[in-house]
Amino acid sequence: MGMRTRAVATGTAIALVSGAVVVLYFFQPWRTCDYEDTSAGCAMLPHDAAAMGIAAIAFVVGIIVLAAGALMRRSPA
Protein backbone atom coordinates (compact mmCIF):
# COMPACT_ATOMS: atom_id res chain seq x y z
CA MET A 1 0.00 0.00 0.00
CA GLY A 2 1.45 3.33 -1.04
CA MET A 3 1.77 6.51 0.94
CA ARG A 4 -1.02 8.16 -1.06
CA THR A 5 -3.49 5.35 -0.40
CA ARG A 6 -2.55 5.25 3.28
CA ALA A 7 -3.04 9.03 3.64
CA VAL A 8 -6.44 8.94 1.92
CA ALA A 9 -7.61 5.98 4.01
CA THR A 10 -6.36 7.48 7.27
CA GLY A 11 -7.86 10.90 6.52
CA THR A 12 -11.18 9.36 5.58
CA ALA A 13 -11.32 7.24 8.74
CA ILE A 14 -10.42 10.17 11.01
CA ALA A 15 -12.94 12.47 9.31
CA LEU A 16 -15.77 9.91 9.44
CA VAL A 17 -15.29 8.93 13.08
CA SER A 18 -14.74 12.45 14.38
CA GLY A 19 -17.62 13.81 12.28
CA ALA A 20 -19.94 11.20 13.78
CA VAL A 21 -18.77 12.18 17.28
CA VAL A 22 -19.47 15.87 16.55
CA VAL A 23 -23.00 15.08 15.36
CA LEU A 24 -23.59 12.79 18.34
CA TYR A 25 -22.49 15.45 20.82
CA PHE A 26 -24.52 18.11 19.01
CA PHE A 27 -27.78 16.20 19.42
CA GLN A 28 -26.90 14.69 22.86
CA PRO A 29 -29.51 11.90 22.77
CA TRP A 30 -28.60 10.84 26.34
CA ARG A 31 -29.41 14.27 27.85
CA THR A 32 -32.78 15.28 29.30
CA CYS A 33 -33.81 18.58 30.85
CA ASP A 34 -37.01 20.06 32.30
CA TYR A 35 -36.99 23.29 30.28
CA GLU A 36 -36.72 21.79 26.77
CA ASP A 37 -38.66 19.18 24.79
CA THR A 38 -35.70 17.93 22.77
CA SER A 39 -32.32 16.80 24.02
CA ALA A 40 -30.54 19.06 21.50
CA GLY A 41 -31.95 22.11 23.30
CA CYS A 42 -30.43 21.19 26.66
CA ALA A 43 -27.34 22.98 27.87
CA MET A 44 -24.10 21.19 27.11
CA LEU A 45 -21.85 20.28 30.01
CA PRO A 46 -18.23 21.52 29.95
CA HIS A 47 -16.77 18.03 29.47
CA ASP A 48 -19.17 17.36 26.60
CA ALA A 49 -18.21 20.67 24.99
CA ALA A 50 -14.51 19.80 25.32
CA ALA A 51 -15.05 16.38 23.73
CA MET A 52 -17.02 17.96 20.89
CA GLY A 53 -14.30 20.58 20.36
CA ILE A 54 -11.58 17.94 20.21
CA ALA A 55 -13.67 15.93 17.74
CA ALA A 56 -14.19 19.04 15.60
CA ILE A 57 -10.43 19.67 15.50
CA ALA A 58 -9.83 16.01 14.64
CA PHE A 59 -12.40 16.33 11.83
CA VAL A 60 -10.49 19.24 10.33
CA VAL A 61 -7.21 17.31 10.64
CA GLY A 62 -8.82 14.32 8.92
CA ILE A 63 -10.02 16.48 6.05
CA ILE A 64 -6.54 18.01 5.68
CA VAL A 65 -4.89 14.56 5.63
CA LEU A 66 -7.48 13.35 3.13
CA ALA A 67 -6.91 16.36 0.87
CA ALA A 68 -3.14 16.00 1.12
CA GLY A 69 -3.39 12.35 0.17
CA ALA A 70 -5.69 13.11 -2.73
CA LEU A 71 -3.31 15.78 -4.03
CA MET A 72 -0.21 13.59 -3.84
CA ARG A 73 1.25 12.38 -7.09
CA ARG A 74 1.09 8.70 -7.74
CA SER A 75 4.46 7.06 -7.52
CA PRO A 76 5.52 5.24 -10.66
CA ALA A 77 5.51 1.57 -9.86
Side-chain angles (χ1 to χ4, degrees):
M1 183 174 0
M3 180 73 161
R4 180 177 194 257
T5 306
R6 193 174 299 130
V8 169
T10 303
T12 302
I14 291 171
L16 284 175
V17 170
S18 60
V21 170
V22 168
V23 170
L24 182 69
Y25 272 93
F26 179 78
F27 288 112
Q28 309 180 66
W30 59 88
R31 179 114 25 248
T32 58
C33 53
D34 297 335
Y35 55 87
E36 186 65 39
D37 292 341
T38 63
S39 60
C42 296
M44 185 176 279
L45 297 176
H47 294 308
D48 291 347
M52 184 176 169
I54 291 169
I57 291 169
F59 178 76
V60 172
V61 169
I63 294 296
I64 290 171
V65 171
L66 174 64
L71 294 174
M72 279 183 190
R73 293 185 185 186
R74 294 193 178 183
S75 60

